[in-house]
Amino acid sequence: MQYDRIDARILGIVQKNNRLTSEVIGEMVGLSATACQRRLKRLRSERIIEADVSILSAKAVGRPIQMLVMVTLERERSDIIDKFKKAVKSSPEVVNGFYVTGDADFVLYISARTMEDYEQFTRRFFYENSDIKGFKTMVVMDRVKAGFAVPVEIPHEE
């Protein structure tokens, strides 16, 4: 997976706004629309661009309660970790899930319509799972920043 300086500029642009046309992006980086399309296609096929998404307002779509949950597993065995990863991926309430080091094994970002809905989720997802030792919930008071943009290193040309 390699990219050059022009790819880096394209990546920076599409992270901020992926609705721009290839013509507009091409003008911004000094390429034709066709050349820009080819680069975008390659960046997607090489999984440098993993997905094109829209960031929604959780409140606007009826899920105003947001939590960060630290989950600790009973035992750290690969089959238990894999099983929990699968549960995280298949649960629509879990917006983001991270397998982490430190005090917890996983950190989950969860959205809910109400605290009652979240309580039902905890019963189903945590309490009924004997592989979970414990979990701690932090309720989000304000989403200060939302996004997936990562800094793009510009490669040095030799």
Side-chain angles (χ1 to χ4, degrees):
M1 282 195 229
Q2 297 231 341
Y3 62 91
D4 63 18
R5 295 174 76 76
I6 293 173
D7 291 336
R9 290 183 58 209
I10 291 171
L11 292 169
I13 292 165
V14 297
Q15 281 193 105
K16 291 182 183 88
N17 183 353
N18 72 352
R19 295 186 62 188
L20 296 174
T21 64
S22 296
E23 291 83 14
V24 171
I25 297 169
E27 283 177 25
M28 295 170 79
V29 300
L31 291 176
S32 70
T34 306
C36 185
Q37 283 176 327
R38 276 196 305 270
R39 284 176 180 261
L40 283 166
K41 184 177 180 180
R42 181 182 52 77
L43 292 167
R44 288 182 177 104
S45 70
E46 291 179 2
R47 305 281 296 150
I48 294 172
I49 297 176
E50 291 183 4
D52 293 290
V53 299
S54 295
I55 299 171
L56 305 182
S57 162
K59 189 183 296 185
V61 295
R63 301 190 69 81
I65 312 285
Q66 299 166 76
M67 285 78 49
L68 294 173
V69 183
M70 297 187 306
V71 182
T72 307
L73 299 178
E74 198 64 60
R75 294 166 299 290
E76 279 206 55
R77 283 193 347 230
S78 61
D79 60 323
I80 292 171
I81 292 167
D82 291 344
K83 183 175 146 193
F84 190 72
K85 284 181 180 180
K86 188 174 180 182
V88 166
K89 289 177 183 177
S90 66
S91 175
E93 295 90 348
V94 179
V95 178
N96 284 296
F98 304 93
Y99 179 42
V100 298
T101 62
D103 293 339
D105 296 311
F106 287 85
V107 175
L108 308 178
Y109 166 49
I110 297 172
S111 72
R113 290 182 315 208
T114 64
M115 284 308 286
E116 292 79 17
D117 283 350
Y118 178 63
E119 181 185 6
Q120 291 303 314
F121 171 80
T122 62
R123 289 174 185 268
R124 192 176 67 249
F125 199 79
F126 299 126
Y127 291 123
E128 293 176 6
N129 185 339
S130 61
D131 293 327
I132 294 177
K133 182 176 184 178
F135 67 98
K136 292 182 182 176
T137 302
M138 296 175 285
V139 177
V140 174
M141 293 173 44
D142 183 22
R143 183 172 79 179
V144 178
K145 182 178 181 179
F148 292 99
V150 295
V152 180
E153 296 295 319
I154 298 176
H156 297 342
E157 309 240 336
E158 297 176 24

